[in-house]
Amino acid sequence: MKLGVGIGPLGPAGGARIVELAREAESLGYDTIWTSEIYGSDCFTPLAWVGANTERINLGTSIMQISARTPASAAMHAVSLDYLSNGRLILGIGVSGPQVVEGWYGEPYPRPLERTREWMLIFRQIVARRDPVSFEGKHYQLPMPGGTGLGKPLKLILHPVREHIPVYLGAEGPKNVALGAEVCDGWLPMFLSPYRMREMYKDALAIRNRDFEIAAGATVIIDDDVDRALDQVRRNVGFYVGGMGAKTFNVHKDHITRMGFGAEAERIQELFLAGRRDDAMAAVPRELCDEISLVGPKERIRDRLQVWKESPVTMLKIGSSNPETLRFMAEELL
């Protein structure tokens, strides 16, 4: 199993923290360093900073929101970073949710799977650089109809260092995961339980190709007090289930429900939206938190790590910047 690490908060201005983290992870043999975007820092700039200060570690976006950039803009970002880093980019993409897509980017959210499929088709054409790109879809049209009428199919000027940049899809729902298994090179799951994933995603996993990567995030906390460590996981889950979505539409709440915690998910959201955030966090089931993380003394983590090793997961993305934690996980897996 490969190891990855998330950049997390950027830290003080100047970028020294993320460079130190990346160099430490690279020296330990970590495969990829990952960075996210919500509505703060973008996902590409920190990776460019890291890429300029490292030599081997792969640079992953987890995730780039496809509504933030047209397929052509994203392809230019991806090809440029891949070019400058000598082929180290892994482009993780996702649709985000309607609050961000429509509230932040001013783009329509409906039919996200259809939109993702079209986006991928255009992105692949641009990076392959075989012909000038034209596309006629429901969500994207190149050249754009109307306007001045002067638009024409174009070909990327920069010659990519690779004709195929790996794309991983951030997804939680079974249909979205199946789409990723069909058209992408990997999957970036969130709140994944290695105890339940085979049953939850059996249809999607059945159609994945031989080299399909599953890069699952897991908070890792070395602490003799298991409950104290799980409280940190609980707050993260509670925030997403309770607040990262509307009352009537929250993909994270739906995901937790599919995992078998439907009543608890309803209660978490109810408390969170009522302003009772501490109560909402307390309502997150201990069992759920323990399944999606690796916490406790080293011996306990080592024991529970076995289930992850036996799962279809190919990369464990460590949710920690603690040097001791990074070294421990490298010793156990690398």
Side-chain angles (χ1 to χ4, degrees):
M1 183 182 290
K2 302 173 186 175
L3 275 175
V5 61
I7 283 179
L10 297 183
R17 175 199 164 271
I18 63 175
V19 170
E20 181 180 355
L21 172 64
R23 286 175 171 168
E24 176 71 9
E26 184 175 67
S27 70
L28 292 170
Y30 278 66
D31 181 86
T32 308
I33 187 163
W34 299 87
T35 188
S36 62
E37 63 182 13
I38 305 176
Y39 40 91
S41 170
D42 77 281
C43 60
F44 285 107
T45 305
L47 290 182
W49 195 259
V50 165
N53 288 279
T54 54
E55 297 178 355
R56 300 179 305 279
I57 195 165
N58 289 318
L59 312 170
T61 61
S62 178
I63 59 173
M64 188 210 80
Q65 300 161 340
I66 67 170
S67 294
R69 302 164 187 85
T70 64
S73 174
M76 292 167 66
H77 277 75
V79 168
S80 299
L81 184 52
D82 200 54
Y83 188 94
L84 293 172
S85 65
N86 287 313
R88 287 194 276 156
L89 177 66
I90 299 173
L91 184 66
I93 66 168
V95 296
S96 190
Q99 288 183 321
V100 172
V101 172
E102 297 180 358
W104 188 242
Y105 296 122
E107 295 290 328
Y109 181 81
R111 307 187 72 82
L113 270 70
E114 187 176 78
R115 188 157 34 94
T116 301
R117 184 183 293 276
E118 289 189 11
W119 195 99
M120 279 295 302
L121 287 169
I122 299 171
F123 178 86
R124 292 292 196 210
Q125 286 183 48
I126 293 173
V127 176
R129 203 183 173 275
R130 294 191 178 93
D131 300 294
V133 178
S134 60
F135 189 85
E136 184 61 38
K138 292 183 179 179
H139 303 272
Y140 301 101
Q141 297 85 37
L142 291 173
M144 185 191 81
T148 64
L150 300 177
K152 67 176 186 178
L154 298 171
K155 184 192 288 189
L156 189 70
I157 296 173
L158 178 64
H159 289 249
V161 294
R162 294 186 288 177
E163 288 188 355
H164 185 94
I165 292 175
V167 179
Y168 295 6
L169 184 63
E172 292 174 278
K175 290 182 179 179
N176 206 11
V177 176
L179 174 65
E182 179 188 350
V183 304
C184 296
D185 306 286
W187 169 31
L188 294 166
M190 186 176 187
F191 301 147
L192 183 73
S193 167
Y195 302 87
R196 303 171 192 258
M197 65 177 296
R198 291 184 189 274
E199 181 61 29
M200 287 182 66
Y201 300 109
K202 60 183 178 181
D203 293 337
L205 294 175
I207 66 172
R208 61 187 168 139
N209 65 55
R210 183 168 54 98
D211 299 320
F212 190 75
E213 297 275 4
I214 301 176
T219 298
V220 181
I221 302 171
I222 301 172
D223 192 332
D224 289 337
D225 189 329
V226 175
D227 288 327
R228 179 173 58 195
L230 287 174
D231 278 343
Q232 296 184 48
V233 182
R234 186 175 277 117
R235 298 196 71 81
N236 187 42
V237 176
F239 175 73
Y240 276 89
V241 174
M244 288 296 282
K247 170 68 175 174
T248 56
F249 188 91
N250 184 319
V251 295
H252 311 296
K253 175 174 171 283
D254 294 342
H255 173 59
I256 298 304
T257 298
R258 283 190 295 269
M259 291 177 71
F261 300 96
E264 294 88 341
E266 287 287 347
R267 183 59 176 161
I268 294 165
Q269 186 186 65
E270 176 187 340
L271 291 167
F272 194 97
L273 295 180
R276 298 167 58 186
R277 295 197 175 192
D278 288 342
D279 291 335
M281 307 309 175
V284 178
R286 186 185 193 278
E287 179 185 6
L288 167 64
C289 295
D290 210 11
E291 286 187 19
I292 64 174
S293 66
L294 288 162
V295 305
K298 290 181 178 180
E299 295 75 16
R300 184 178 193 271
I301 293 174
R302 187 177 292 117
D303 180 63
R304 295 180 70 82
L305 190 56
Q306 190 61 35
V307 179
W308 290 91
K309 291 179 180 179
E310 295 169 356
S311 77
V313 171
T314 60
M315 181 189 297
L316 203 57
K317 292 165 50 189
I318 304 306
S320 175
S321 59
N322 181 284
E324 180 191 3
T325 303
L326 295 180
R327 286 193 293 270
F328 170 72
M329 294 303 293
E331 291 167 0
E332 293 301 315
L333 288 176
L334 304 179

